[in-house]
């Protein structure tokens, strides 16, 4: 069963999912701490290149099925124009100021 984005526990993660689904690159980038990093399937990636390719130019969309670790770990169905839909896991490191310093994703 899908969790409504508005009901996600962690405010930073909720804002992340909201920005992805709204295709709002500006709002997305405001959520990230300076020097934020990310990994996909265990490999660090260039964050700007990855988000452009996997989210913003390919109409990425997240449907969250489960959350854990206080809302900082998600299981979601992720879809975009490049890959279609797949089950993915996401984990987030959120700093004291509420910004995301790292996120990791991959197939679940």
């Amino acid at each position: 069963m899908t969790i409504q984005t508005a009901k996600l526990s962690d405010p930073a993660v909720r804002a992340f999912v909201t920005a992805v689904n709204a295709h709002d690159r500006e709002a997305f980038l405001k959520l990230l701490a300076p020097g934020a990093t990310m990994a996909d399937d265990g490999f660090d990636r260039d964050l700007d290149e990855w988000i452009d390719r996997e989210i913003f130019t390919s109409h990425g969309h997240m449907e969250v099925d489960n959350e854990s670790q206080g809302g900082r770990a998600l299981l979601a169905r992720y879809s975009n124009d490049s890959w279609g839909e797949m089950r993915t896991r996401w984990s987030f490191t959120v700093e004291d100021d509420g910004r995301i310093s790292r996120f990791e994703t991959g197939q679940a």
Side-chain angles (χ1 to χ4, degrees):
M1 186 160 126
T2 302
I3 300 172
Q4 291 178 352
T5 303
K7 299 205 168 157
L8 293 172
S9 301
D10 187 277
V13 173
R14 184 169 58 241
F16 180 100
V17 175
T18 299
V20 167
N21 290 348
H23 309 117
D24 188 339
R25 191 176 197 279
E26 187 176 329
F28 182 94
L29 291 174
K30 286 181 181 174
L31 299 169
L32 302 179
T37 61
M38 64 86 52
D40 185 1
D41 283 329
F43 295 96
D44 277 19
R45 309 287 187 186
D46 178 281
L47 187 135
D48 288 328
E49 178 186 299
W50 189 91
I51 64 171
D52 281 344
R53 183 180 68 248
E54 300 293 337
I55 299 173
F56 296 109
T57 63
S58 61
H59 307 104
H61 189 82
M62 296 174 76
E63 293 286 337
V64 178
D65 291 327
N66 192 345
E67 65 173 3
S68 57
Q69 298 176 15
R72 293 189 178 173
L74 305 177
L75 277 177
R77 282 169 286 130
Y78 187 78
S79 60
N80 67 23
D81 293 346
S82 301
W83 306 107
E85 184 177 293
M86 64 185 82
R87 278 188 62 75
T88 55
R89 56 176 170 66
W90 298 75
S91 64
F92 299 87
T93 304
V94 181
E95 299 305 311
D96 292 340
D97 68 0
R99 292 194 290 176
I100 296 167
S101 59
R102 181 169 177 83
F103 67 91
E104 298 183 26
T105 187
Q107 292 197 54

